[in-house]
Amino acid sequence: MLTICKNNRKKVEKCIKNKQLDAIVPSSSDIIDEIILAMIRDGVIDCLHNPLSDKRRHNSYVPFKLVMTLAIASKMKVTARILYLIYLGMTVLEVVVLMLDKPIAGYESEQFFFSLLTTFGCAGTGGFGFIPGSMELMNPFSQYVISVFLILFGCNFGLYYLLLIGKVKDVLRSEEFKAYFLIIVGAVALVFISLMTRMESFPQEYTKEEAFRHSLFQVASLMTTTGFSTTD
């Protein structure tokens, strides 16, 4: 528990203004400093100027805006750490799931390496094929896995945080969540219908399963600007 005394109050406030929050609360990102400095600059925290009385020795009061600032910094640090862990967990999970599939013919010894490359491309939603034909040589199972993880990595990670703390209803009520998946479902349906109704104009014929798989993959790749593809 932090105790802010009258003797070092000015020094602490100076540290905040000089972006030296690590002198008070260890911070993992400068974005926390930037947000809090912006709040101070715009007077958001100044409205909380009423001091909290502190009758202990050597203390006259604790400035409430300082307590509020420290609380915000601490909360944001924990939230950022949780989001990074979610990102890492999803990355590891995709690598493991991709390893469950059969290796690409001719690249049996490089399956783990290819799984890593594919996952890094999905996680960053920006990558290009590392073998001829991009993801075309991947087995259908891997193509479905990549499609699903592309969509998951394209979501707002704040929604996953809400899921972890049990606010499922808030996620389901999210306009962003609804719009994102409605656009994906609608786009996949349009591409699938286009492939099935204009089959003769395409150089390659697809079964219904192949048409759906390619539709899902291409939509997920385009929606997330990843750049992978499974067919021309």
Side-chain angles (χ1 to χ4, degrees):
M1 181 176 182
L2 293 174
T3 302
I4 308 302
C5 300
K6 177 181 178 182
N7 296 335
N8 63 4
R9 177 169 57 88
K10 292 183 179 180
K11 181 179 179 181
V12 171
E13 291 179 328
K14 183 179 179 181
C15 288
I16 295 177
K17 293 179 180 179
N18 292 335
K19 299 173 64 175
Q20 296 175 341
L21 278 177
D22 55 341
I24 312 165
V25 179
S27 173
S28 59
S29 172
D30 289 339
I31 190 172
I32 297 176
D33 303 38
E34 295 290 343
I35 292 174
I36 293 177
L37 286 172
M39 292 174 71
I40 294 175
R41 183 177 62 251
D42 296 337
V44 176
I45 298 179
D46 288 339
C47 64
L48 305 171
H49 62 277
N50 295 329
L52 300 176
S53 60
D54 190 345
K55 298 180 180 180
R56 290 175 296 175
R57 187 179 177 182
H58 301 308
N59 294 341
S60 60
Y61 65 87
V62 179
F64 189 70
K65 68 177 183 179
L66 189 56
V67 176
M68 190 66 179
T69 300
L70 294 175
I72 293 172
S74 178
K75 178 65 175 179
M76 292 181 66
K77 183 184 69 171
V78 173
T79 303
R81 185 180 299 168
I82 292 174
L83 293 178
Y84 281 128
L85 288 176
I86 294 173
Y87 190 92
L88 177 61
M90 290 176 61
T91 301
V92 174
L93 179 61
E94 184 177 359
V95 173
V96 172
V97 176
L98 287 175
M99 288 294 295
L100 298 177
D101 196 11
K102 296 179 181 179
I104 302 174
Y107 300 94
E108 289 80 3
S109 61
E110 299 172 325
Q111 184 181 13
F112 178 68
F113 179 61
F114 284 176
S115 298
L116 283 177
L117 292 180
T118 303
T119 301
F120 291 155
C122 291
T125 60
F128 295 93
F130 40 85
I131 52 178
S134 188
M135 301 293 113
E136 184 178 7
L137 296 181
M138 291 280 189
N139 296 316
F141 175 79
S142 291
Q143 292 179 356
Y144 277 118
V145 170
I146 295 169
S147 300
V148 171
F149 275 95
L150 282 176
I151 295 172
L152 292 178
F153 277 114
C155 286
N156 183 345
F157 272 56
L159 298 176
Y160 298 135
Y161 176 74
L162 291 176
L163 287 175
L164 285 179
I165 62 178
K167 295 186 177 181
V168 180
K169 292 183 179 179
D170 291 342
V171 175
L172 297 178
R173 285 196 296 260
S174 171
E175 295 297 329
E176 178 183 357
F177 173 80
K178 294 177 182 178
Y180 180 68
F181 278 96
L182 283 176
I183 292 172
I184 290 177
V185 171
V188 171
L190 287 175
V191 176
F192 175 77
I193 294 172
S194 178
L195 286 176
M196 297 304 297
T197 56
R198 300 181 56 193
M199 194 67 70
E200 294 181 358
S201 63
F202 291 101
Q204 181 179 350
E205 291 187 2
Y206 302 111
T207 64
K208 290 183 179 180
E209 185 278 326
E210 289 174 337
F212 172 76
R213 173 161 40 90
H214 293 316
S215 300
L216 176 64
F217 193 100
Q218 264 57 243
V219 168
S221 182
L222 288 173
M223 280 284 292
T224 57
T225 68
T226 304
F228 290 152
S229 64
T230 56
T231 188
D232 187 358

Coordinates of all heavy atoms in Angstrom, one line a residue, residues 12-99:
V12 N 6.6 13.6 -6.0 CA 5.8 12.6 -6.7 C 5.1 13.2 -7.9 O 5.0 12.7 -9.0 CB 4.8 11.9 -5.7 CG1 3.8 11.1 -6.5 CG2 5.6 11.1 -4.7
E13 N 4.4 14.4 -7.6 CA 3.7 15.1 -8.7 C 4.7 15.5 -9.8 O 4.3 15.4 -11.0 CB 3.0 16.3 -8.2 CG 1.8 15.9 -7.3 CD 1.1 17.2 -6.7 OE1 1.8 18.2 -6.5 OE2 -0.1 17.1 -6.5
K14 N 5.9 15.9 -9.5 CA 6.9 16.2 -10.5 C 7.3 15.0 -11.3 O 7.4 15.1 -12.5 CB 8.1 16.8 -9.8 CG 9.2 17.2 -10.8 CD 10.4 17.8 -10.1 CE 11.5 18.3 -11.1 NZ 12.7 18.8 -10.4
C15 N 7.4 13.8 -10.7 CA 7.7 12.6 -11.4 C 6.6 12.3 -12.4 O 6.8 11.8 -13.5 CB 7.9 11.4 -10.4 SG 9.4 11.5 -9.4
I16 N 5.3 12.5 -12.0 CA 4.2 12.2 -12.9 C 4.3 13.1 -14.1 O 4.1 12.7 -15.3 CB 2.9 12.4 -12.2 CG1 2.7 11.4 -11.1 CG2 1.7 12.3 -13.1 CD1 1.5 11.5 -10.2
K17 N 4.5 14.4 -13.9 CA 4.6 15.4 -15.0 C 5.8 15.1 -15.9 O 5.7 15.4 -17.1 CB 4.7 16.8 -14.5 CG 3.4 17.2 -13.7 CD 3.5 18.6 -13.2 CE 2.2 19.1 -12.5 NZ 2.4 20.4 -11.9
N18 N 6.9 14.5 -15.4 CA 8.0 14.2 -16.2 C 8.0 12.8 -16.8 O 9.0 12.3 -17.2 CB 9.3 14.4 -15.3 CG 9.5 15.8 -15.0 OD1 9.1 16.8 -15.7 ND2 10.2 16.1 -13.9
K19 N 6.8 12.2 -16.7 CA 6.7 10.8 -17.3 C 7.6 9.8 -16.6 O 8.2 9.0 -17.2 CB 6.9 10.8 -18.8 CG 6.0 11.7 -19.6 CD 6.3 11.8 -21.0 CE 6.3 10.4 -21.7 NZ 6.5 10.5 -23.1
Q20 N 7.7 9.9 -15.3 CA 8.6 9.0 -14.5 C 7.7 8.2 -13.5 O 8.0 8.2 -12.3 CB 9.6 9.8 -13.8 CG 10.6 10.5 -14.7 CD 11.7 11.3 -13.9 OE1 11.4 11.7 -12.8 NE2 12.7 11.6 -14.6
L21 N 6.6 7.7 -14.1 CA 5.7 7.0 -13.2 C 6.3 5.7 -12.6 O 5.8 5.2 -11.6 CB 4.4 6.6 -14.0 CG 3.4 7.7 -14.1 CD1 2.3 7.2 -15.0 CD2 2.9 8.1 -12.8
D22 N 7.4 5.2 -13.2 CA 8.0 4.0 -12.6 C 8.6 4.3 -11.3 O 8.9 3.3 -10.5 CB 9.0 3.4 -13.6 CG 10.1 4.5 -13.9 OD1 9.8 5.7 -13.8 OD2 11.2 4.1 -14.3
A23 N 8.7 5.6 -10.9 CA 9.2 5.9 -9.6 C 8.1 5.6 -8.5 O 8.4 5.5 -7.3 CB 9.6 7.3 -9.5
I24 N 6.9 5.5 -9.0 CA 5.7 5.2 -8.1 C 5.2 3.8 -8.3 O 5.1 3.0 -7.4 CB 4.6 6.3 -8.3 CG1 5.2 7.7 -8.4 CG2 3.6 6.2 -7.2 CD1 4.3 8.7 -8.9
V25 N 4.7 3.6 -9.6 CA 4.2 2.3 -9.9 C 4.9 1.8 -11.1 O 4.9 2.5 -12.2 CB 2.7 2.5 -10.2 CG1 2.1 1.2 -10.6 CG2 1.9 3.1 -9.0
P26 N 5.5 0.6 -11.1 CA 6.2 0.1 -12.3 C 5.2 0.0 -13.4 O 4.2 -0.6 -13.3 CB 6.7 -1.3 -11.8 CG 6.7 -1.2 -10.3 CD 5.6 -0.2 -9.9
S27 N 5.6 0.5 -14.5 CA 4.8 0.5 -15.7 C 5.4 -0.2 -16.8 O 6.6 -0.1 -17.0 CB 4.5 2.0 -16.1 OG 3.8 2.0 -17.3
S28 N 4.6 -1.0 -17.6 CA 5.2 -1.7 -18.7 C 5.1 -1.0 -20.1 O 5.5 -1.5 -21.1 CB 4.4 -3.1 -18.8 OG 3.1 -2.9 -19.0
S29 N 4.4 0.1 -20.1 CA 4.2 0.8 -21.4 C 4.1 2.3 -21.1 O 3.5 2.8 -20.2 CB 3.0 0.3 -22.0 OG 2.7 1.0 -23.2
D30 N 4.7 3.1 -22.1 CA 4.6 4.5 -22.0 C 3.2 5.1 -22.2 O 2.9 6.2 -21.9 CB 5.6 5.2 -23.0 CG 7.0 5.0 -22.5 OD1 7.2 4.8 -21.3 OD2 7.9 5.1 -23.4
I31 N 2.4 4.2 -22.8 CA 1.0 4.7 -23.1 C 0.2 5.0 -21.8 O -0.6 5.9 -21.8 CB 0.2 3.6 -23.9 CG1 -1.1 4.2 -24.4 CG2 -0.1 2.4 -23.0 CD1 -1.8 3.2 -25.4
I32 N 0.5 4.3 -20.7 CA -0.1 4.7 -19.5 C 0.3 6.1 -19.0 O -0.5 6.9 -18.6 CB 0.3 3.7 -18.4 CG1 -0.2 2.3 -18.8 CG2 -0.3 4.1 -17.0 CD1 0.2 1.2 -17.8
D33 N 1.6 6.4 -19.2 CA 2.1 7.7 -18.8 C 1.4 8.8 -19.7 O 1.0 9.8 -19.2 CB 3.6 7.8 -19.1 CG 4.4 6.8 -18.3 OD1 3.9 5.7 -18.1 OD2 5.4 7.1 -17.8
E34 N 1.3 8.5 -21.0 CA 0.7 9.4 -21.9 C -0.8 9.7 -21.6 O -1.2 10.9 -21.6 CB 0.8 8.9 -23.4 CG 2.2 8.8 -23.9 CD 2.8 10.1 -24.1 OE1 2.1 11.1 -24.2 OE2 4.1 10.2 -24.2
I35 N -1.5 8.7 -21.2 CA -2.9 8.8 -20.9 C -3.1 9.7 -19.7 O -3.9 10.6 -19.6 CB -3.6 7.5 -20.8 CG1 -3.7 6.8 -22.1 CG2 -5.0 7.6 -20.2 CD1 -4.2 5.4 -22.1
I36 N -2.3 9.3 -18.6 CA -2.5 10.1 -17.4 C -2.0 11.5 -17.5 O -2.7 12.4 -17.0 CB -1.7 9.4 -16.3 CG1 -2.3 8.0 -16.0 CG2 -1.6 10.2 -15.0 CD1 -1.6 7.2 -15.0
L37 N -1.0 11.7 -18.3 CA -0.5 13.1 -18.5 C -1.6 13.9 -19.3 O -1.8 15.1 -19.0 CB 0.8 13.1 -19.3 CG 2.1 12.7 -18.5 CD1 3.3 12.6 -19.4 CD2 2.4 13.7 -17.4
A38 N -2.2 13.2 -20.2 CA -3.3 13.9 -21.0 C -4.5 14.2 -20.1 O -5.1 15.3 -20.2 CB -3.8 13.0 -22.1
M39 N -4.8 13.3 -19.1 CA -5.8 13.6 -18.2 C -5.5 14.8 -17.3 O -6.4 15.6 -17.0 CB -6.1 12.4 -17.3 CG -6.7 11.2 -18.1 SD -6.8 9.7 -17.1 CE -8.1 10.1 -16.0
I40 N -4.3 14.9 -16.9 CA -3.8 16.0 -16.0 C -3.9 17.3 -16.9 O -4.4 18.3 -16.4 CB -2.4 15.8 -15.5 CG1 -2.5 14.6 -14.5 CG2 -1.9 17.0 -14.8 CD1 -1.1 14.2 -14.0
R41 N -3.4 17.2 -18.1 CA -3.3 18.4 -18.9 C -4.7 18.9 -19.3 O -4.9 20.2 -19.3 CB -2.6 18.1 -20.2 CG -2.4 19.2 -21.2 CD -1.6 18.9 -22.4 NE -2.2 17.8 -23.2 CZ -1.8 16.6 -23.3 NH1 -0.7 16.2 -22.6 NH2 -2.4 15.7 -24.0
D42 N -5.7 18.0 -19.5 CA -7.0 18.5 -19.9 C -7.9 18.7 -18.7 O -9.1 19.0 -18.8 CB -7.6 17.4 -20.7 CG -6.9 17.2 -22.1 OD1 -6.2 18.2 -22.5 OD2 -7.0 16.1 -22.7
G43 N -7.3 18.6 -17.5 CA -8.1 18.9 -16.3 C -9.1 17.9 -15.8 O -10.0 18.2 -15.0
V44 N -8.9 16.6 -16.4 CA -9.9 15.6 -16.0 C -9.7 15.2 -14.5 O -10.7 15.0 -13.8 CB -9.7 14.3 -16.9 CG1 -10.6 13.2 -16.4 CG2 -9.9 14.7 -18.3
I45 N -8.4 15.2 -14.1 CA -8.2 14.8 -12.7 C -8.2 16.0 -11.8 O -8.5 15.8 -10.6 CB -6.8 14.1 -12.6 CG1 -6.8 12.8 -13.4 CG2 -6.4 13.8 -11.2 CD1 -5.5 12.1 -13.4
D46 N -8.1 17.2 -12.3 CA -8.1 18.4 -11.4 C -9.4 18.6 -10.7 O -9.5 19.2 -9.7 CB -7.8 19.6 -12.3 CG -6.4 19.7 -12.7 OD1 -5.5 19.0 -12.0 OD2 -6.0 20.4 -13.6
C47 N -10.5 18.0 -11.3 CA -11.8 18.2 -10.6 C -11.9 17.3 -9.4 O -12.8 17.5 -8.5 CB -12.9 17.7 -11.6 SG -12.9 16.0 -12.1
L48 N -10.9 16.4 -9.2 CA -10.9 15.6 -8.0 C -9.9 16.2 -7.0 O -9.0 15.5 -6.5 CB -10.5 14.1 -8.4 CG -11.4 13.5 -9.4 CD1 -10.8 12.2 -9.8 CD2 -12.8 13.3 -8.9
H49 N -10.0 17.4 -6.7 CA -9.0 18.1 -5.9 C -9.2 18.0 -4.4 O -8.4 18.4 -3.6 CB -8.9 19.6 -6.3 CG -10.2 20.3 -6.1 ND1 -11.2 20.3 -6.9 CD2 -10.6 21.1 -5.0 CE1 -12.2 21.0 -6.5 NE2 -11.9 21.5 -5.3
N50 N -10.4 17.6 -4.0 CA -10.7 17.5 -2.6 C -9.7 16.5 -1.9 O -9.7 15.3 -2.3 CB -12.2 17.0 -2.4 CG -13.2 18.0 -2.9 OD1 -12.9 19.2 -2.9 ND2 -14.3 17.5 -3.4
P51 N -9.0 17.0 -0.9 CA -8.0 16.1 -0.3 C -8.7 15.1 0.7 O -9.8 15.3 1.2 CB -7.2 17.1 0.5 CG -8.1 18.2 0.8 CD -9.0 18.3 -0.4
L52 N -8.0 14.0 0.9 CA -8.4 13.0 1.9 C -7.7 13.3 3.2 O -6.4 13.4 3.2 CB -8.1 11.6 1.4 CG -8.8 11.2 0.1 CD1 -8.3 9.8 -0.3 CD2 -10.3 11.2 0.2
S53 N -8.4 13.5 4.3 CA -7.7 13.8 5.5 C -6.9 12.7 6.0 O -7.2 11.5 5.9 CB -8.8 14.2 6.6 OG -9.7 13.1 6.8
D54 N -5.7 13.0 6.5 CA -4.8 12.0 7.0 C -4.1 12.6 8.3 O -3.3 13.5 8.2 CB -3.7 11.7 6.0 CG -2.9 10.4 6.4 OD1 -2.9 10.1 7.6 OD2 -2.2 9.9 5.5
K55 N -4.5 12.1 9.4 CA -4.1 12.7 10.7 C -2.9 12.0 11.3 O -2.5 12.2 12.4 CB -5.2 12.7 11.7 CG -6.5 13.5 11.2 CD -7.6 13.4 12.3 CE -8.8 14.2 11.8 NZ -9.9 14.2 12.8
R56 N -2.2 11.1 10.5 CA -1.0 10.5 11.0 C 0.1 11.5 11.1 O 0.1 12.5 10.5 CB -0.7 9.3 10.1 CG -1.7 8.1 10.2 CD -1.3 7.0 9.3 NE -1.5 7.5 7.9 CZ -1.1 6.8 6.8 NH1 -0.7 5.6 7.0 NH2 -1.3 7.3 5.6
R57 N 1.2 11.1 11.8 CA 2.3 11.9 12.0 C 3.0 12.3 10.7 O 3.1 11.4 9.8 CB 3.3 11.1 12.9 CG 4.5 12.0 13.3 CD 5.4 11.1 14.2 NE 6.6 11.8 14.6 CZ 7.6 11.3 15.3 NH1 7.5 10.1 15.7 NH2 8.6 12.0 15.6
H58 N 3.4 13.5 10.5 CA 4.1 14.1 9.4 C 3.2 14.2 8.2 O 3.7 14.6 7.1 CB 5.3 13.3 9.0 CG 6.3 13.1 10.1 ND1 6.9 14.2 10.7 CD2 6.9 12.0 10.6 CE1 7.7 13.8 11.6 NE2 7.8 12.5 11.6
N59 N 1.9 13.9 8.3 CA 1.0 14.0 7.2 C -0.1 15.1 7.5 O -0.6 15.1 8.6 CB 0.3 12.7 6.9 CG 1.3 11.7 6.4 OD1 2.4 12.0 5.9 ND2 1.0 10.4 6.5
S60 N -0.4 15.8 6.5 CA -1.6 16.7 6.7 C -2.8 16.3 5.8 O -3.9 16.2 6.3 CB -1.2 18.2 6.3 OG -0.8 18.2 5.0
Y61 N -2.5 15.9 4.6 CA -3.5 15.3 3.7 C -2.9 14.6 2.6 O -1.7 14.8 2.2 CB -4.5 16.4 3.2 CG -3.9 17.4 2.3 CD1 -3.8 17.2 0.9 CD2 -3.4 18.6 2.8 CE1 -3.2 18.1 0.1 CE2 -2.8 19.5 2.0 CZ -2.7 19.3 0.6 OH -2.1 20.2 -0.2
V62 N -3.7 13.8 1.9 CA -3.3 13.1 0.7 C -4.1 13.6 -0.4 O -5.3 13.6 -0.4 CB -3.5 11.6 0.8 CG1 -3.1 10.9 -0.5 CG2 -2.7 11.0 2.0
P63 N -3.5 14.2 -1.5 CA -4.3 14.8 -2.6 C -5.0 13.7 -3.3 O -4.4 12.7 -3.8 CB -3.2 15.4 -3.5 CG -1.9 14.9 -3.0 CD -2.1 14.4 -1.6
F64 N -6.3 13.8 -3.4 CA -7.2 12.8 -4.0 C -6.8 12.5 -5.5 O -6.9 11.4 -5.9 CB -8.6 13.1 -3.8 CG -9.6 12.0 -4.2 CD1 -9.7 10.9 -3.4 CD2 -10.3 12.1 -5.4 CE1 -10.5 9.9 -3.8 CE2 -11.2 11.1 -5.7 CZ -11.3 9.9 -4.9
K65 N -6.5 13.6 -6.2 CA -6.2 13.4 -7.6 C -4.9 12.6 -7.8 O -4.8 11.8 -8.8 CB -6.0 14.8 -8.3 CG -4.8 15.6 -7.9 CD -4.6 16.8 -8.7 CE -3.4 17.6 -8.3 NZ -3.3 18.8 -9.2
L66 N -4.0 12.6 -6.8 CA -2.8 11.8 -6.9 C -3.1 10.3 -6.6 O -2.6 9.4 -7.3 CB -1.8 12.3 -5.9 CG -0.4 11.7 -5.9 CD1 0.2 11.9 -7.3 CD2 0.5 12.3 -4.9
V67 N -4.0 10.1 -5.6 CA -4.5 8.7 -5.4 C -5.2 8.2 -6.6 O -5.0 7.0 -6.9 CB -5.4 8.7 -4.1 CG1 -5.9 7.3 -3.9 CG2 -4.6 9.2 -2.9
M68 N -6.0 9.0 -7.2 CA -6.8 8.6 -8.4 C -5.8 8.2 -9.5 O -6.0 7.2 -10.2 CB -7.7 9.7 -8.8 CG -8.8 9.2 -9.8 SD -9.9 8.0 -9.2 CE -10.9 7.7 -10.6
T69 N -4.8 9.0 -9.7 CA -3.9 8.8 -10.8 C -3.1 7.5 -10.6 O -3.0 6.7 -11.5 CB -2.8 9.9 -10.8 OG1 -3.5 11.2 -11.1 CG2 -1.8 9.7 -11.9
L70 N -2.7 7.2 -9.3 CA -2.0 6.0 -9.0 C -2.9 4.8 -9.2 O -2.5 3.7 -9.7 CB -1.5 6.0 -7.6 CG -0.4 7.0 -7.3 CD1 -0.1 7.1 -5.8 CD2 0.9 6.7 -8.1
A71 N -4.2 4.9 -8.9 CA -5.1 3.8 -9.0 C -5.3 3.5 -10.5 O -5.4 2.4 -10.9 CB -6.5 4.2 -8.4
I72 N -5.4 4.6 -11.3 CA -5.6 4.4 -12.8 C -4.4 3.7 -13.4 O -4.5 2.7 -14.2 CB -5.9 5.7 -13.5 CG1 -7.2 6.3 -13.0 CG2 -5.9 5.6 -15.0 CD1 -7.5 7.7 -13.5
A73 N -3.2 4.1 -13.0 CA -2.0 3.5 -13.5 C -1.9 2.1 -13.2 O -1.6 1.2 -14.0 CB -0.8 4.3 -13.0
S74 N -2.2 1.7 -11.9 CA -2.1 0.4 -11.5 C -3.1 -0.5 -12.2 O -2.8 -1.6 -12.6 CB -2.4 0.3 -10.0 OG -2.4 -1.0 -9.5
K75 N -4.4 0.0 -12.4 CA -5.4 -0.8 -13.1 C -5.1 -1.0 -14.5 O -5.2 -2.1 -15.0 CB -6.7 0.0 -13.0 CG -7.9 -0.7 -13.7 CD -8.3 -2.0 -13.0 CE -9.5 -2.6 -13.7 NZ -9.9 -3.9 -13.1
M76 N -4.5 0.0 -15.2 CA -4.2 -0.1 -16.6 C -3.0 -1.1 -16.8 O -3.0 -1.8 -17.8 CB -3.9 1.2 -17.2 CG -5.0 2.2 -17.3 SD -4.6 3.8 -18.0 CE -4.2 3.2 -19.7
K77 N -2.1 -1.1 -15.8 CA -1.0 -2.0 -15.9 C -1.4 -3.5 -15.9 O -1.0 -4.3 -16.6 CB 0.0 -1.7 -14.8 CG 1.3 -2.6 -14.9 CD 2.2 -2.3 -13.7 CE 1.6 -2.9 -12.4 NZ 2.5 -2.8 -11.3
V78 N -2.3 -3.7 -14.9 CA -2.9 -5.1 -14.8 C -3.7 -5.5 -16.0 O -3.5 -6.6 -16.5 CB -3.8 -5.2 -13.5 CG1 -4.5 -6.5 -13.5 CG2 -3.0 -4.9 -12.3
T79 N -4.5 -4.6 -16.6 CA -5.3 -4.9 -17.8 C -4.4 -5.2 -19.0 O -4.6 -6.1 -19.7 CB -6.2 -3.7 -18.1 OG1 -7.0 -3.4 -17.0 CG2 -7.1 -4.0 -19.3
A80 N -3.3 -4.4 -19.1 CA -2.4 -4.6 -20.2 C -1.7 -5.9 -20.1 O -1.5 -6.6 -21.1 CB -1.4 -3.4 -20.3
R81 N -1.4 -6.3 -18.9 CA -0.7 -7.6 -18.7 C -1.7 -8.7 -19.1 O -1.2 -9.7 -19.7 CB -0.3 -7.7 -17.2 CG 0.5 -9.0 -16.9 CD 0.9 -9.0 -15.4 NE 1.7 -7.8 -15.1 CZ 2.0 -7.5 -13.9 NH1 1.5 -8.1 -12.9 NH2 2.8 -6.4 -13.7
I82 N -2.9 -8.6 -18.7 CA -3.9 -9.6 -19.0 C -4.1 -9.8 -20.5 O -4.1 -10.9 -21.1 CB -5.3 -9.3 -18.4 CG1 -5.1 -9.5 -16.8 CG2 -6.4 -10.3 -18.9 CD1 -6.4 -9.0 -16.1
L83 N -4.1 -8.6 -21.3 CA -4.3 -8.6 -22.7 C -3.1 -9.3 -23.4 O -3.3 -10.0 -24.4 CB -4.5 -7.2 -23.2 CG -5.8 -6.5 -22.8 CD1 -5.9 -5.1 -23.4 CD2 -7.0 -7.3 -23.3
Y84 N -1.9 -9.0 -22.9 CA -0.7 -9.7 -23.4 C -0.7 -11.2 -23.2 O -0.3 -12.0 -24.1 CB 0.6 -9.1 -22.8 CG 1.0 -7.7 -23.4 CD1 1.2 -6.6 -22.6 CD2 1.1 -7.6 -24.8 CE1 1.6 -5.4 -23.1 CE2 1.5 -6.4 -25.3 CZ 1.7 -5.3 -24.5 OH 2.1 -4.1 -25.0
L85 N -1.2 -11.6 -22.1 CA -1.3 -13.0 -21.8 C -2.3 -13.7 -22.7 O -2.1 -14.8 -23.1 CB -1.7 -13.2 -20.3 CG -0.6 -12.9 -19.3 CD1 -1.1 -13.1 -17.9 CD2 0.7 -13.8 -19.5
I86 N -3.5 -13.0 -22.9 CA -4.4 -13.5 -23.9 C -3.8 -13.7 -25.3 O -4.0 -14.8 -25.9 CB -5.7 -12.6 -23.9 CG1 -6.4 -12.6 -22.6 CG2 -6.6 -13.0 -25.1 CD1 -7.5 -11.6 -22.5
Y87 N -3.1 -12.7 -25.7 CA -2.4 -12.8 -27.0 C -1.5 -13.9 -27.1 O -1.4 -14.7 -28.0 CB -1.7 -11.4 -27.2 CG -1.2 -11.2 -28.6 CD1 -1.9 -10.5 -29.6 CD2 0.1 -11.6 -29.0 CE1 -1.5 -10.3 -30.8 CE2 0.6 -11.4 -30.2 CZ -0.2 -10.7 -31.2 OH 0.3 -10.5 -32.4
L88 N -0.7 -14.1 -26.0 CA 0.3 -15.2 -26.0 C -0.4 -16.5 -25.9 O 0.0 -17.5 -26.6 CB 1.2 -15.0 -24.8 CG 2.3 -16.1 -24.5 CD1 3.2 -16.2 -25.7 CD2 3.0 -15.9 -23.2
G89 N -1.4 -16.6 -25.2 CA -2.2 -17.9 -25.1 C -2.8 -18.3 -26.4 O -2.7 -19.5 -26.8
M90 N -3.4 -17.4 -27.1 CA -3.9 -17.7 -28.4 C -2.9 -18.1 -29.4 O -3.1 -19.0 -30.2 CB -4.7 -16.5 -28.9 CG -6.0 -16.2 -28.1 SD -6.9 -14.7 -28.7 CE -7.2 -15.1 -30.4
T91 N -1.7 -17.5 -29.3 CA -0.6 -17.8 -30.2 C -0.1 -19.2 -30.0 O 0.0 -20.0 -31.0 CB 0.6 -16.8 -30.0 OG1 0.1 -15.5 -30.3 CG2 1.7 -17.1 -31.0
V92 N 0.1 -19.6 -28.7 CA 0.5 -20.9 -28.4 C -0.5 -22.0 -28.8 O -0.2 -23.0 -29.4 CB 0.8 -21.0 -26.9 CG1 1.1 -22.5 -26.5 CG2 2.0 -20.1 -26.5
L93 N -1.8 -21.6 -28.6 CA -2.9 -22.5 -28.9 C -2.9 -22.8 -30.4 O -3.1 -24.0 -30.8 CB -4.2 -22.0 -28.5 CG -5.5 -22.8 -28.8 CD1 -5.4 -24.2 -28.1 CD2 -6.7 -22.1 -28.3
E94 N -2.8 -21.8 -31.2 CA -2.8 -22.0 -32.7 C -1.7 -22.9 -33.1 O -1.8 -23.8 -34.0 CB -2.8 -20.7 -33.5 CG -2.9 -20.9 -35.0 CD -3.0 -19.6 -35.7 OE1 -2.9 -18.6 -35.1 OE2 -3.1 -19.7 -37.0
V95 N -0.5 -22.7 -32.6 CA 0.7 -23.5 -33.0 C 0.4 -25.0 -32.6 O 0.7 -25.9 -33.5 CB 2.0 -23.0 -32.2 CG1 3.1 -24.0 -32.5 CG2 2.4 -21.6 -32.7
V96 N -0.1 -25.2 -31.5 CA -0.4 -26.6 -31.0 C -1.5 -27.2 -31.9 O -1.3 -28.4 -32.4 CB -0.9 -26.6 -29.6 CG1 -1.4 -28.0 -29.2 CG2 0.2 -26.1 -28.6
V97 N -2.5 -26.5 -32.2 CA -3.6 -27.1 -33.1 C -3.1 -27.4 -34.5 O -3.4 -28.4 -35.1 CB -4.8 -26.1 -33.1 CG1 -5.9 -26.7 -34.1 CG2 -5.4 -26.0 -31.8
L98 N -2.3 -26.4 -35.0 CA -1.7 -26.7 -36.4 C -0.8 -27.9 -36.4 O -0.7 -28.6 -37.4 CB -0.9 -25.4 -36.9 CG -1.8 -24.2 -37.3 CD1 -0.9 -23.0 -37.6 CD2 -2.7 -24.6 -38.5
M99 N -0.1 -28.1 -35.3 CA 0.8 -29.3 -35.2 C 0.0 -30.6 -35.2 O 0.6 -31.7 -35.5 CB 1.6 -29.2 -34.0 CG 2.7 -28.2 -34.0 SD 4.0 -28.5 -35.3 CE 4.7 -30.0 -34.6

